[in-house]
Amino acid sequence: MKINRLSLLNSLFNVLNENNQGDPYFILAEYFLEHYHELSRLNIYDVAADCFVSRSSIRRFCQAIGYENFVAFKDEFAQYDDQRASFQKHAGRENYRETLTQEINAMIAELDQRMNTAEVERLAERIHDAREVVFLTSSVGATSVAQFQHSMIFQNKVIRMVSDSFW
């Protein structure tokens, strides 16, 4: 299973960007993006008919983006659908903007409290003193970690990154 749901979006967009329009993988990626909010309810026969591809092509596509098969691909989205419904319920409440602002301000205050100078210095010392440093990240955070990784090379420190986008 992927670390987070957006990694599938990244995978689908990568396939879309790296293939020609007539390629079966392009067609499937585009189809899944257009039907993203209903992926868990799709069946392989309808997808094959709609995309003019074989079921084995769909299985190979799913394997190429990190899923064992179409069922595993869909199973992950049953969980996504539950989270989406929960988010829509949360976002649809009255005074959403005010509540969201309060929650963001509370997060900022907590970060201020947690990221005090002593903690940051301690973390920097641990990175400096470590023989090997590895960051685990989702594909969403990989860009930020990669920027840190690049800047650390100027300090003669090699940082490894392990991300779901490399699995």
Side-chain angles (χ1 to χ4, degrees):
M1 183 180 287
K2 299 281 187 183
I3 289 176
N4 98 33
R5 306 286 174 254
L6 295 179
S7 62
L8 176 63
L9 281 177
N10 291 334
S11 296
L12 293 174
F13 279 119
N14 285 339
V15 170
L16 199 68
N17 296 335
E18 295 171 3
N19 290 280
N20 295 322
Q21 282 186 317
D23 185 272
Y25 280 17
F26 178 96
I27 293 166
L28 287 166
E30 183 176 50
Y31 183 86
F32 291 137
L33 285 165
E34 289 172 355
H35 296 88
Y36 188 74
H37 295 298
E38 58 187 288
L39 285 177
S40 65
R41 294 184 302 275
L42 296 177
N43 77 56
I44 197 166
Y45 295 99
D46 291 339
V47 174
D50 291 348
C51 296
F52 303 101
V53 298
S54 67
R55 293 188 317 268
S56 61
S57 292
I58 297 169
R59 181 184 46 79
R60 284 190 301 273
F61 175 85
C62 292
Q63 289 173 337
I65 61 170
Y67 297 89
E68 185 177 336
N69 53 40
F70 186 66
V71 172
F73 175 78
K74 286 179 33 158
D75 285 348
E76 183 166 334
F77 278 85
Q79 297 171 22
Y80 165 81
D81 288 342
D82 293 341
Q83 291 173 353
R84 182 172 176 254
S86 174
F87 171 77
Q88 286 178 326
K89 180 181 174 186
H90 175 75
R93 64 186 177 190
E94 287 187 36
N95 301 321
Y96 174 73
R97 184 169 183 229
E98 292 83 11
T99 304
L100 182 61
T101 300
Q102 290 170 357
E103 290 172 355
I104 290 170
N105 287 334
M107 283 188 274
I108 291 170
E110 182 178 347
L111 285 172
D112 263 354
Q113 180 184 9
R114 290 178 183 260
M115 292 304 295
N116 63 46
T117 304
E119 283 296 312
V120 172
E121 284 179 20
R122 189 173 138 265
L123 181 58
E125 284 176 16
R126 290 187 71 186
I127 291 171
H128 178 270
D129 295 342
R131 195 178 108 255
E132 184 175 18
V133 178
V134 178
F135 280 83
L136 304 176
T137 183
S138 69
S139 57
V140 174
T143 301
S144 297
V145 174
Q147 288 174 342
F148 180 72
Q149 185 180 41
H150 294 173
S151 64
M152 289 306 295
I153 200 67
F154 298 120
Q155 299 298 319
N156 296 320
K157 192 67 170 181
V158 176
I159 306 287
R160 282 189 49 225
M161 174 175 39
V162 176
S163 169
D164 64 337
S165 60
F166 300 127
W167 295 343

